[in-house]
Amino acid sequence: MNISGVLLAGGESRRMGKDKATVLFRGKPLWEIQLGLLRKLNPSEIFVSARTDPSWRPGDVQFVADVPPSRGPLSGLAASLARVRTTHLLALAIDMPFMSENFLRYVCDQIEARVGVVPKIDNRTEPLAAIYPREAVIDFQNALAGTDFSLQTLTRSLVDTGKLRELAVNEQQKKLFLNVNEVSDLAAL
């Protein structure tokens, strides 16, 4: 596969109270779980997108700064898309520890030239476990220059223009998208 991968770790973790990336889940820090998952897909290059270069980032993973940092994951995705040397970018949020290699491989199998894939649960897309075509960088940059920083709005626009295809998520797959935002989420999971 001619893809790059980005681990999105730029959140402020306000609800968690500490850096989500270092939170232990089943005995491992979230960053290690998610980076291991990306590595299994054997992307051509792997990025970590964050506000500052994390101390836990392995040397073979490239750091991409969120610029500007106040735009949420939109910033990290825009910066990462601007750096890819491949045709597509697989984005994965740091806080989705149930995501599976099989599902991500399935998503990867759905991409086409200049067309990415975004999972959709009910009426909402899941833009933080999606694959974007390199050509979408202009759409991300335009969104950053505007006033609406919602990835829901942007992914709808990318679907409308044919740069993304929606992939329906079935009931069984929904659990893959559970995320960890608060300490209580860890106990519940």
Side-chain angles (χ1 to χ4, degrees):
M1 285 183 286
N2 186 18
I3 64 165
S4 301
V6 61
L7 182 58
L8 298 168
E12 292 182 27
S13 301
R14 283 184 287 236
R15 290 179 280 176
M16 182 65 72
K18 62 180 180 175
D19 183 7
K20 272 191 217 181
T22 61
V23 169
L24 295 181
F25 183 75
R26 296 181 179 164
K28 287 186 173 181
L30 288 175
W31 73 263
E32 191 175 319
I33 294 167
Q34 297 303 78
L35 197 55
L37 182 54
L38 282 177
R39 287 186 194 280
K40 288 178 184 178
L41 300 172
N42 199 27
S44 297
E45 56 191 352
I46 299 178
F47 304 105
V48 168
S49 171
R51 293 171 181 267
T52 58
D53 193 353
S55 60
W56 49 261
R57 179 183 59 84
D60 64 331
V61 174
Q62 301 174 56
F63 169 64
V64 177
D66 289 358
V67 181
S70 60
R71 307 292 194 252
L74 179 64
S75 297
L77 286 167
S80 299
L81 275 167
R83 293 258 311 263
V84 298
R85 295 184 316 235
T86 60
T87 61
H88 290 79
L89 176 68
L90 168 62
L92 181 62
I94 194 98
D95 62 357
M96 286 185 192
F98 292 106
M99 186 51 64
S100 74
E101 176 186 356
N102 286 342
F103 183 79
L104 290 179
R105 284 193 184 282
Y106 173 67
V107 173
C108 289
D109 288 343
Q110 308 305 309
I111 63 174
E112 298 173 23
R114 293 183 289 285
V115 181
V117 177
V118 62
K120 187 173 183 181
I121 297 176
D122 301 322
N123 292 321
R124 290 185 57 82
T125 59
E126 292 293 337
L128 303 184
I131 302 179
Y132 299 93
R134 181 177 50 209
E135 291 80 5
V137 69
I138 190 70
D139 302 272
F140 278 85
Q141 291 168 342
N142 287 340
L144 278 175
T147 57
D148 183 354
F149 308 121
S150 164
L151 282 174
Q152 291 297 315
T153 302
L154 180 56
T155 54
R156 275 192 303 274
S157 173
L158 289 168
V159 167
D160 290 346
T161 60
K163 290 182 182 175
L164 278 184
R165 260 193 16 259
E166 292 175 335
L167 179 67
V169 172
N170 67 36
E171 282 301 314
Q172 190 175 1
Q173 294 166 334
K174 285 182 181 181
K175 68 178 186 236
L176 300 174
F177 295 88
L178 293 174
N179 63 7
V180 179
N181 287 313
E182 300 176 9
V183 175
S184 62
D185 292 342
L186 288 169
L189 299 175

